[in-house]
Every structure is written in structure tokens, then in C-alpha cells.
């Protein structure tokens, strides 16, 4: 969360008032003794290099500079340690790529380092430490106390700052804190040895200890970066496997964006679909919340997504100033880093992924390739899901009417009956309808005309009942409508409405018995049986049998073109 402009101005004001004057006062009250300039230069160079080349462990950035400021304090006291740490902020600002607009962050670090130096340095001096002491017992004891106070004060100030500015934090003892204290334990002996070597052998200590430490840091950093790449690749492969296990297109899209948002520091994510050469938004998420965005193909062509569409190449931007001249009005104003990658299958672009972060330099270059790999997994998984859904649809649908078939009807009715028995539904009704004298239509006009009527009736039922329940072709000229939470009376009223609607609707057929085909309008009637659970029964198949009985005994036998309810 970005802090307010008012807070930023407050940080600037505090720094101007406290740091320059504070350093002057420290110099007046605790001036450094005799300075060995080559050694001080070595300390400063080592601190700057160590700050500029941090490394990451378990996602935490570690700056192992505390052993150097320990050695400086032991030798020269508070003022020079404070001065070197203030100079170390310069490479830190470059490393964090702090621009003028967020320069308050550098000033806050300067203010925090100043307070940490004052509190830890003077605390140890008040406890009895003599700057420049060569007593090993005092060096180890007061050096360790100094490091503990230094680290603790640093975390207290940072924690209070995060709480006051309402920024996200892991609590006082988060992962970063644990790694910092681990770094203290590892580097404390190096700080003591650097001080003692400087006392006894002079500037050559930096060659004996400083250079090897920097080399070790560099090797660990290289290993850490390599490990991060491998971890991200393994994570991408795992995501690919999970996408392959899902057979629902919408679930694949949700899983894809959710996993990317967890893998990378993503605040905004968008999938743009490309269909018949036109781009349109398929899904958009901002801060893990689905939103609706509508932009025309022409508008999207002018955006970064349009550049990817034209060049068929991924794009990475590290900060807002790199893309501010591009029309990207669908992205929030505070977006900084952007990755945009084509989603391709069989060398054909089918979509574009755009992800953005509010942080500058949030994405690494290698992550561009990993996102491209994930997009390939995503495209293949979507294609497989489409095939599976088509196969399932064919197995569940009647090829002629496009309604659900008996197989699906049976499964759905069992599910609905279980919901009724478990208290999720109050009532469950079923309409069974049959076209009256359908054989006569086939004999008069031909079977193709009969099929036309079945198809037309299916569309009418969809229009009238789709919002109420499940519609299926039971077989032949029989149709079924399952109505969850419909009472017997409500079902009878709906059935009567359907009966009247069907009777009043002329159905278009193509006659095929004559020498020439022609379009004819035919009117039909239906008989409908109604049964309701739990009053009539408490089993799925019994509900069908009861409605079928009402259809033939109560409606067909009584003259057809009527509605009848099941009576025990």
C-alpha cells in the first residue's frame, strides 16, 4: 500500500530537521579519534560493495553490512560508523531503483540508520565500552551487545513505520526478521576478525577477509539466483500439471490467474481473447477481485496488448515512465511494472495475457520466459477442456433436439431428490409431456417433418422453462421438465400455461411426401402429467412413474390436450 503524500512530506521534514543537525551534534559530543584514512576508505568501500550486492534467500533480500559497521564502531566510534552507513544508503537507493517520486524511501532509511546508530552506539558506550579497545573480552561482549541493540532497534523502527502507515507486514517476528538475526549470527565473527586484523596488520586485512567475504557473497548470490530460477521453473511445471487436470474452461482460467498472482507480485491481471482477428476481454482481475472491462478491438490495438498482437512478441516494462506514452487506459493509474505475453497454440495467437504490479522492477527478465511457458500450458489445457466439454455435451445431449437426454435426466433427478431429502429443497416437481397423435404427423408429413416439430417444441420449452429447471427429452415424443422448489399447484399452473402455449403455436415443418418440398405450418397439442415430492413419493424414479401415470391415465384417457396431476 502506498503511503500518503502527507506522510511523504513528513518524512522529508523529519530528515531535514534531524539528520544533518544530529550528525553535527554527534561529531561535537563524540568526535572520532585519530583516523587511519586508508583503513577508513577500505571500510567505506567494503560497506558500499556489500550493500550494492545483496542476495535473496527464501524470497528475502539480505544486506550483510552489519559486520562492517560493527568493525567501524569498535575502531572509530559512533560518528564514523554513522557517516559510513549514511554513505551506504546511496548504493542501496540505486539497488532498489528509487526514483525522485519515491525518494522519501531513501530518506526514511537514512533517518532509520541515524536513529539505530545513535541508540546502539551510545548505549554500548554508556555500558562502559572504550572505543578502540583491544581487550578481546570487551570487544566480543560489547560487540555482541551492540549488534543485538542495533538489529532490535532497526526492526522496532521499521515495524512501527509499517503499522503507522498501514502497510502490509508479517508482524514483528516475520520471515525477514528471522533471516536478519541469522545473518547477524553468521557475520558477527567476521566483524570481530575484521576489527582485530585492522588493529594488528592494517589495511591488508581487507585483502585477507574483506575480499574473500565479497567473493563468497557473490557466489552465494549467483547460487541464490539460480535456485530462484529453478524454483520458479518447478513451480511453473507444477501449475502446468494442475491446469491439465482441470476440464472446465472457466475453472482453468480462474486457476491460471490465481496461480500467477501467487507466484509473482501481481496486482492486476487481464486475459484478452482473440477470435476471428478481433481482441476482446475474456477476464480481468484487480487485487484478486473480478471486474468487468469493455474495450473495442480498435482501442486495444493502441495498447500494449495491441503491440504484442502486432509483433507477436512478449513485452516487459519495469516502471510507469517506460510505457506512459502508450494508451493503456484499462490499467489503473498506479500500475508500474508490466508483462504482456501472447497466448499461442500451434503457432497461432489465441489470446494475450497482461499482468501488472504497483511496484517498480517487480518482474525479472527470466520470468518473462516462465510466463510464456505458463501461457503455453494454459492454451493446451483450454483446448483439451473444450474437447472434453464437447464430448461430455454429446453424451448428455439429444442430437436432434439439443436438450438433455435420458442419461443426464436420470442423474440430475437423483441429485435433486437427494437435495430434497437433505433439506436443501422444499419440494420437487416433475412434468411429463407427450405430443398427441404424433404418429399421425409422421404418417401424414414424413419423419423429417416429425423431427422438425420435436426440434421446434424443444426450443419452445427452453424459452418457457429454462429459468425454472432442467428440460430433457425422455424418449420418442416425450419430454420432461424437473422443477426444484415447485409445489404441486405451481407445477399445474405452469403445465397448463405450456399446454395452452403449445396449442396456440404453429410449428414450421418441411413436407417431404410430395414431388416438391414446401414449408407448412402445423398445430399440435400435448398431454401433461404432474407429480410432486415429497407428498407423492420420495424416490427419483417413482417421481417419473407417477408423472407418467398421471399423463396416460389422467390426460390421455380423458381426451388428450389436458393437464393431470398424480393422485394416490
Amino acid at each position: 500500500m502506498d503511503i500518503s503524500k502527507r506522510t511523504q512530506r513528513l518524512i522529508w521534514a523529519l530528515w531535514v530537521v534531524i539528520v544533518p543537525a544530529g550528525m553535527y551534534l554527534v561529531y561535537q559530543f563524540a568526535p572520532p579519534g585519530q583516523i587511519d584514512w586508508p583503513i577508513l576508505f577500505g571500510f567505506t568501500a567494503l560497506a558500499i560493495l556489500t550493500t550494492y550486492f545483496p542476495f535473496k534467500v527464501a524470497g528475502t533480500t539480505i544486506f550483510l553490512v552489519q559486520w562492517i559497521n560493527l568493525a567501524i564502531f569498535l575502531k572509530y566510534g559512533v560518528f564514523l560508523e554513522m557517516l559510513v552507513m549514511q554513505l551506504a544508503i546511496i548504493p542501496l537507493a540505486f539497488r532498489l531503483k528509487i526514483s525522485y517520486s519515491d525518494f522519501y524511501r531513501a530518506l526514511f532509511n537514512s533517518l532509520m540508520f541515524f536513529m539505530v546508530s545513535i541508540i546502539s552506539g551510545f548505549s554500548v558506550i554508556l555500558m562502559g565500552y572504550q572505543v578502540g579497545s583491544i581487550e578481546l573480552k570487551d570487544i566480543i561482549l560489547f560487540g555482541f551487545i551492540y549488534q543485538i541493540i542495533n538489529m532490535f532497534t532497526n526492526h522496532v523502527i521499521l515495524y512501527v513505520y509499517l503499522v503507522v502507515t498501514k502497510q502490509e507486514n508479517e508482524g514483528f517476528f516475520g520471515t525477514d526478521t528471522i533471516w536478519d538475526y541469522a545473518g547477524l549470527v553468521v557475520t558477527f565473527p567476521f566483524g570481530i576478525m575484521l576489527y582485530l586484523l585492522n588493529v594488528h596488520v592494517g589495511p591488508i586485512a581487507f585483502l585477507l577477509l574483506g575480499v574473500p567475504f565479497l567473493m563468497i557473497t557473490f557466489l552465494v548470490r549467483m547460487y541464490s539466483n539460480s535456485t530462484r530460477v529453478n524454483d520458479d521453473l518447478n513451480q511453473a511445471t507444477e501449475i502446468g500439471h494442475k491446469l491439465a487436470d482441470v476440464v472446465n474452461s472457466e475453472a482453468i482460467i480462474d486457476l491460471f490467474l490465481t496461480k500467477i498472482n501467487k507466484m509473482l507480485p501481481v496486482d492486476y491481471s487481464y486475459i484478452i481473447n482473440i477470435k476471428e482477428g478481433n481482441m476482446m476481454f475474456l477476464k480481468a482481475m484487480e487485487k484478486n477481485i473480478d471486474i468487468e472491462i469493455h474495450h473495442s478491438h480498435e482501442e486495444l490495438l493502441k495498447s500494449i496488448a495491441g503491440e504484442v498482437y502486432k509483433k507477436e512478441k512478449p513485452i516487459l516494462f519495469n516502471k510507469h515512465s517506460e510505457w506512459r506514452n502508450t494508451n493503456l487506459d484499462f490499467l489503473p493509474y498506479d500500475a508500474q511494472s508490466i508483462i504482456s505475453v501472447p497466448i499461442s497454440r500451434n503457432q497461432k495467437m489465441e489470446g494475450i495475457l497482461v499482468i501488472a504490479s504497483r511496484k517498480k522492477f517487480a518482474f525479472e527478465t527470466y520470468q518473462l520466459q516462465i510466463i510464456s511457458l505458463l501461457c503455453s500450458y494454459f492454451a493446451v489445457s483450454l483446448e483439451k477442456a473444450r474437447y472434453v466439454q464437447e464430448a461430455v455435451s454429446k453424451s448428455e445431449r439429444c442430437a436432434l433436439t439439443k436438450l438433455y437426454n435420458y442419461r443426464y435426466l436420470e442423474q440430475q433427478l437423483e441429485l435433486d431428490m437427494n437435495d430434497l431429502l437433505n433439506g436443501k429443497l422444499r419440494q420437487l416437481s416433475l412434468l411429463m409431456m407427450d405430443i398427441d397423435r404424433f404418429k399421425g404427423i409422421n404418417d401424414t408429413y414424413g419423419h423429417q417433418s416429425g423431427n422438425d416439430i420435436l426440434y421446434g417444441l424443444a426450443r419452445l420449452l427452453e424459452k418457457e422453462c429454462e429459468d425454472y429447471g432442467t428440460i430433457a427429452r425422455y424418449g420418442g415424443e416425450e419430454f420432461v421438465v424437473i422443477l426444484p422448489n415447485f409445489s404441486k399447484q405451481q407445477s399445474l399452473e405452469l403445465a397448463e400455461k405450456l399446454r395452452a402455449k403449445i396449442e396456440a403455436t404453429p410449428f414450421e415443418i418441411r413436407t417431404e411426401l410430395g414431388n416438391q418440398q414446401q414449408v407448412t405450418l402445423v398445430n399440435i397439442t400435448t398431454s401433461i402429467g404432474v407429480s410432486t415430492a415429497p407428498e407423492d413419493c420420495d424416490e427419483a424414479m417413482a417421481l417419473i412413474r407417477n408423472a407418467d401415470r398421471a399423463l396416460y391415465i389422467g390426460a390421455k384417457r380423458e381426451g388428450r390436450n389436458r393437464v393431470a396431476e398424480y393422485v394416490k
Side-chain angles (χ1 to χ4, degrees):
M1 178 178 179
D2 296 329
I3 68 174
S4 66
K5 294 293 183 182
R6 180 180 179 182
T7 305
Q8 293 180 29
R9 288 192 292 269
L10 178 61
I11 291 172
W12 276 83
L14 288 174
W15 187 91
V16 170
V17 171
I18 294 175
V19 175
M23 292 188 68
Y24 173 77
L25 291 174
V26 171
Y27 181 80
Q28 294 298 317
F29 286 100
Q34 185 177 357
I35 299 175
D36 187 333
W37 290 103
I39 289 179
L40 180 59
F41 175 80
F43 278 132
T44 305
L46 192 58
I48 289 174
L49 288 171
T50 303
T51 306
Y52 190 74
F53 293 107
F55 57 90
K56 285 192 175 183
V57 177
T60 300
T61 302
I62 300 178
F63 296 90
L64 293 179
V65 73
Q66 58 264 52
W67 66 290
I68 303 168
N69 72 318
L70 170 62
I72 298 172
F73 169 76
L74 292 174
K75 186 170 181 64
Y76 293 117
V78 177
F79 177 75
L80 287 182
E81 183 274 335
M82 178 189 300
L83 180 63
V84 172
M85 291 309 296
Q86 292 295 316
L87 292 174
I89 292 174
I90 298 173
L92 178 63
F94 277 104
R95 189 69 198 174
L96 297 177
K97 300 178 175 66
I98 295 176
S99 62
Y100 179 78
S101 62
D102 53 4
F103 194 71
Y104 71 90
R105 295 169 57 194
L107 296 181
F108 172 76
N109 283 320
S110 172
L111 185 60
M112 182 172 67
F113 286 0
F114 172 81
M115 297 299 296
V116 168
S117 296
I118 291 284
I119 294 171
S120 57
F122 282 110
S123 294
V124 172
I125 291 174
L126 290 173
M127 289 179 189
Y129 175 70
Q130 294 294 322
V131 174
S133 173
I134 58 173
E135 290 291 331
L136 185 60
K137 181 179 68 173
D138 287 349
I139 293 170
I140 293 176
L141 174 62
F142 289 112
F144 185 73
I145 294 174
Y146 171 83
Q147 287 285 64
I148 291 294
I149 295 175
N150 190 290
M151 187 71 69
F152 182 78
T153 305
N154 180 81
H155 284 117
V156 168
I157 294 173
L158 183 60
Y159 178 72
V160 171
Y161 168 74
L162 293 175
V163 171
V164 170
T165 57
K166 299 179 180 180
Q167 297 189 71
E168 295 179 4
N169 65 83
E170 297 181 327
F172 190 73
F173 292 104
T175 304
D176 290 354
T177 305
I178 294 171
W179 279 109
D180 280 344
Y181 278 101
L184 182 150
V185 173
V186 170
T187 59
F188 176 71
F190 285 89
I192 298 297
M193 287 302 299
L194 182 62
Y195 170 64
L196 291 174
L197 280 173
N198 271 287
V199 169
H200 294 290
V201 301
I204 198 172
F206 295 108
L207 294 177
L208 296 175
L209 192 61
V211 173
F213 186 87
L214 287 176
M215 292 300 296
I216 292 172
T217 301
F218 182 72
L219 291 174
V220 171
R221 187 168 178 265
M222 288 182 61
Y223 174 77
S224 176
N225 289 341
S226 175
T227 301
R228 287 174 58 207
V229 174
N230 289 332
D231 288 345
D232 284 350
L233 281 172
N234 290 335
Q235 193 173 351
T237 302
E238 183 181 345
I239 293 172
H241 290 321
K242 289 182 178 179
L243 289 173
D245 291 338
V246 182
V247 295
N248 179 275
S249 297
E250 291 185 4
I252 288 174
I253 294 170
D254 289 339
L255 179 64
F256 177 64
L257 288 186
T258 300
K259 291 297 182 182
I260 287 181
N261 290 355
K262 288 183 178 179
M263 182 179 178
L264 301 175
V266 176
D267 295 302
Y268 312 110
S269 50
Y270 311 87
I271 296 178
I272 297 168
N273 189 34
I274 300 175
K275 189 174 182 180
E276 297 178 356
N278 288 314
M279 292 187 291
M280 64 189 74
F281 277 98
L282 180 63
K283 188 175 181 67
M285 292 182 69
E286 295 186 356
K287 300 175 185 177
N288 295 320
I289 299 175
D290 290 348
I291 62 168
E292 290 288 335
I293 301 182
H294 302 284
H295 282 265
S296 67
H297 174 72
E298 289 70 24
E299 290 172 322
L300 287 173
L301 274 177
K302 300 175 184 177
S303 69
I304 287 178
E307 292 298 312
V308 174
Y309 176 73
K310 296 170 189 174
K311 298 178 180 178
E312 299 187 9
K313 292 182 179 179
I315 292 176
L316 168 64
F317 291 121
N318 291 309
K319 53 187 177 180
H320 186 270
S321 59
E322 294 179 358
W323 54 269
R324 61 187 174 191
N325 295 325
T326 305
N327 174 27
L328 253 183
D329 52 357
F330 66 83
L331 272 175
Y333 179 76
D334 60 352
Q336 291 282 351
S337 305
I338 295 176
I339 283 181
S340 185
V341 177
I343 301 172
S344 302
R345 182 181 59 84
N346 297 330
Q347 298 182 339
K348 179 183 177 183
M349 192 187 307
E350 296 189 346
I352 297 169
L353 172 70
V354 179
I355 58 175
S357 173
R358 291 178 293 168
K359 298 178 181 178
K360 296 179 181 179
F361 297 90
F363 309 123
E364 302 286 348
T365 303
Y366 78 88
Q367 290 172 334
L368 193 65
Q369 281 72 43
I370 289 179
I371 294 299
S372 295
L373 175 64
L374 280 173
C375 284
S376 298
Y377 286 139
F378 175 63
V380 172
S381 299
L382 274 183
E383 181 184 25
K384 188 190 77 170
R386 291 191 194 104
Y387 286 139
V388 171
Q389 288 173 331
E390 287 176 4
V392 169
S393 179
K394 288 179 181 178
S395 68
E396 294 178 343
R397 296 278 180 173
C398 164
L400 172 62
T401 63
K402 311 304 178 187
L403 297 177
Y404 289 116
N405 57 24
Y406 178 80
R407 175 175 173 271
Y408 181 87
L409 167 71
E410 192 175 31
Q411 294 173 348
Q412 187 60 44
L413 189 57
E414 287 287 352
L415 292 174
D416 288 339
M417 185 60 74
N418 287 334
D419 286 345
L420 176 72
L421 298 177
N422 292 329
K424 295 180 181 179
L425 296 177
R426 300 185 306 276
Q427 292 173 298
L428 179 63
S429 293
L430 185 141
L431 309 185
M432 172 81 77
M433 65 182 64
D434 180 83
I435 300 176
D436 296 327
R437 298 184 173 87
F438 188 69
K439 183 177 182 301
I441 295 174
N442 283 330
D443 292 342
T444 303
Y445 299 104
H447 288 283
Q448 180 56 50
S449 299
N451 291 342
D452 291 341
I453 288 178
L454 292 174
Y455 183 83
L457 179 57
R459 302 290 75 74
L460 185 149
L461 293 176
E462 281 182 336
K463 182 179 179 181
E464 299 295 328
C465 303
E466 195 169 32
D467 294 337
Y468 303 136
T470 303
I471 310 164
R473 184 185 180 191
Y474 189 69
E477 64 270 23
E478 292 181 319
F479 295 83
V480 167
V481 182
I482 305 173
L483 300 169
N485 282 330
F486 264 63
S487 66
K488 178 70 73 68
Q489 184 58 39
Q490 288 174 316
S491 303
L492 288 170
E493 291 174 359
L494 177 62
E496 178 57 32
K497 177 183 174 182
L498 286 174
R499 184 204 64 77
K501 181 74 174 180
I502 293 168
E503 182 181 23
T505 301
F507 290 86
E508 189 177 276
I509 63 173
R510 292 164 292 166
T511 56
E512 58 182 23
L513 295 182
N515 294 329
Q516 295 181 348
Q517 281 195 352
Q518 59 181 356
V519 174
T520 305
L521 297 178
V522 174
N523 286 86
I524 61 172
T525 61
T526 54
S527 298
I528 304 175
V530 179
S531 180
T532 301
E535 51 260 53
D536 293 341
C537 62
D538 57 5
E539 293 181 2
M541 297 313 296
L543 194 64
I544 290 181
R545 288 195 299 271
N546 292 342
D548 189 57
R549 180 180 177 85
L551 166 65
Y552 282 97
I553 294 178
K556 291 283 188 182
R557 285 186 183 180
E558 297 301 318
R560 298 182 176 85
N561 190 24
R562 64 184 60 223
V563 174
E565 64 177 296
Y566 172 76
V567 179
K568 291 184 178 180

